């Protein structure tokens, strides 16, 4: 049992960093919105942006043996962990793709913040 989700962070058209979260699926949208907001100053710097997003999603659990996995890939695919659909964060296009569609970072953050309506790109 778990509450699994995979975040795929696209750094360019061919390279992605993937973060598996065993227990973060239920709050995935809010957690990602907070991580994107924290990374906003580095949205145009894929290496720093990726590090900030991953750091924010893992939070204070870096020293835990279980709970998260991290790997690089040069292909797109379904890494579905089974409990929740994968989420793709595209640092090149500044979009988030989830089961509801493709949204700009700002749209995603605004919707999963205090109020708003999620609009598709």
């Amino acid at each position: 049992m778990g509450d699994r989700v995979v975040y795929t962070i696209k750094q360019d058209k061919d390279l992605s960093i993937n973060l598996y979260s065993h227990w973060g699926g239920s709050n995935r949208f809010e957690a990602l919105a907070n991580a994107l907001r924290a990374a906003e100053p580095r949205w145009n710097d894929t290496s720093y942006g990726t590090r900030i997003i991953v750091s924010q999603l893992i939070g204070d659990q870096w020293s835990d043996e279980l709970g998260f996995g991290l790997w690089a890939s040069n292909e797109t695919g379904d890494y579905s962990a089974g409990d929740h659909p994968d989420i793709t964060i595209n640092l090149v296009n500044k979009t988030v793709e989830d089961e509801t569609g493709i949204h700009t970072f700002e749209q995603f953050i605004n919707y999963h913040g205090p109020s708003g309506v999620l609009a598709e790109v």
Side-chain angles (χ1 to χ4, degrees):
M1 293 276 308
D3 191 17
R4 299 171 288 254
V5 66
V6 173
Y7 300 94
T8 297
I9 304 169
K10 292 191 64 63
Q11 295 188 306
D12 66 30
K13 68 180 188 114
D14 297 320
L15 181 63
S16 298
I17 302 295
N18 305 279
L19 175 66
Y20 164 82
S21 173
H22 191 81
W23 297 109
S26 293
N27 71 336
R28 65 195 180 281
F29 298 129
E30 180 182 354
L32 180 56
N34 291 334
L36 287 171
R37 182 57 73 210
E40 185 175 6
R42 294 299 191 140
W43 284 355
N44 291 317
D45 183 336
T46 59
S47 63
Y48 273 80
T50 298
R51 194 262 311 153
I52 294 167
I53 292 167
V54 169
S55 295
Q56 292 292 311
L57 291 171
I58 293 176
D60 63 356
Q61 298 176 52
W62 277 99
S63 61
D64 294 353
E65 179 184 355
L66 302 173
F68 293 93
L70 194 60
W71 72 97
S73 63
N74 60 359
E75 59 186 52
T76 58
D78 181 10
Y79 300 108
S80 181
D83 296 313
H84 300 282
D86 297 352
I87 298 176
T88 299
I89 301 107
N90 188 320
L91 286 171
V92 176
N93 298 331
K94 313 295 183 284
T95 59
V96 174
E97 183 174 2
D98 62 22
E99 64 265 29
T100 67
I102 299 174
H103 319 284
T104 67
F105 284 177
E106 284 295 338
Q107 290 168 335
F108 190 86
I109 291 166
N110 289 339
Y111 182 74
H112 294 289
S115 66
V117 176
L118 189 55
E120 292 189 24
V121 173

